[in-house]
Amino acid sequence: MLPLAGIRVLDVSQVMAGPFCCMLLGDMGADVIKIEPPKVGDQTRRSMGFRLKGDDSPGFLALNRNKRSISLDLKTDADREILYALVRTADVLVENGRPGVAARLGMGYETLRAINPRLVYASISGFGQSGPWAQRPGFDLIAQAMSGVLSATGLPGSEPVKTGVPVGDLGAALFAVYGILSALVGRQTSGEGQMVDASLFEAALGLSIWETTELWGTGRSPQPLGTANRMSAPYQAVQASDGYFVFGAANQKLWLSFLEAADRLDLEHDPRFATNSDRVANQAALIASLHPTFARRTVAEWVDDLLAKGVPAGPIYDYGQALASEHVGARHMVQDIAHPVEGSFKALGFPVKLSDTPQEVRYPPPLLDEHREEILAELVERGLIGSHQMEDATRT
């Protein structure tokens, strides 16, 4: 039995942060019911500029395994009553509308808490449920820009660069999972649920550990460093004879091991590079002095030589190379998921492994409204709606 078996989650969210949060809960065994607008569903179903075989985009497929789907028009009284019936059976609800939208649809926290006091209600928004920016529309790019992340990313003197991975969206999803699980544990003692308020802005800011430390420690806002590190040097990408690789000599022991591997023991007593603090302060001079040395060997030679000395190092792979690597295969990070329309499609595996209850794909990403009759029948069986409501709510 998976750890979250018996926990029911209502996924009333779209696009990335909310669906990713709910998928992670589903991967751990939660019964996730995805509640979507009629006809169009989650807007990610029609996003991206390419398709596989069916109408649903690969982006939707990547974010919605281990869920069942029912479409409800929450602007109608009849479908809101079905939502309320589902809320009576639920442990968690996740929504990611702009603050106030859920309340206007009759599914605000106070409304649903009155129906089910044990409900853990998670809201994921651009800037949170309070504060002067709360009503601003929120996208990952905006969160990265206004949190400071954009200002510290890229190369010195270059135009603004966002992180390639959407840290605001995915970070908010992860923080929401953390809050939801904490609230579920707390409910065991209190007997009551609570509201979880997560935002893209605070996720991006909350991940800015080194950057805020530099600001408060020096009084200066961090500037872009390319691939270099704010707290350690050398720790970045450098150019070998045939391309770039990365390595990190992030403490004094590794620094000395690196000098030995690089045959640059002359730098051991250079006062500019005597300590890690000195090397960080003189990072540009350090890399300049090492540039001719790196040009003497290939990427493969450098990686092998540094690893042999215990210095962390690696080539720079693109996603095709990374996903084709033996290590990814050994860690089962690519899986083929059977699907009623696609036949099968590739998806990322589970990034956390559980020894005794390994995750599994119990449901492929659902077709829109695929599980309507099944979900309504469960509500009838529990006596939460009448059979006539099921008949009225069944759409062709």
Side-chain angles (χ1 to χ4, degrees), residues 11 13-16 19-20 23 34-37 40-48 50-52 55-70 337 339 342 345-347 364-370:
D11 178 5
S13 67
Q14 299 196 49
V15 189
M16 180 170 282
F20 186 58
M23 185 180 75
K34 187 172 182 66
I35 298 172
E36 304 184 68
V40 295
D42 184 330
Q43 60 188 269
T44 308
R45 287 185 182 271
R46 303 295 180 265
S47 69
M48 306 184 76
F50 59 95
R51 295 278 188 274
L52 299 178
D55 292 332
D56 291 335
S57 76
F60 176 84
L61 298 177
L63 289 162
N64 288 284
R65 67 183 174 228
N66 286 328
K67 301 179 184 181
R68 299 186 289 164
S69 172
I70 182 172
I337 297 179
H339 189 273
E342 304 295 341
F345 66 92
K346 290 190 180 299
L367 304 177
L368 178 60
D369 211 26
E370 179 179 355

Side-chain angles (χ1 to χ4, degrees), residues 113 117-118 120 182-194:
R113 183 184 187 186
R118 290 176 56 81
V120 174
S182 298
L184 288 173
V185 172
R187 189 181 71 173
Q188 295 175 357
T189 301
S190 69
E192 295 187 353
Q194 58 182 299

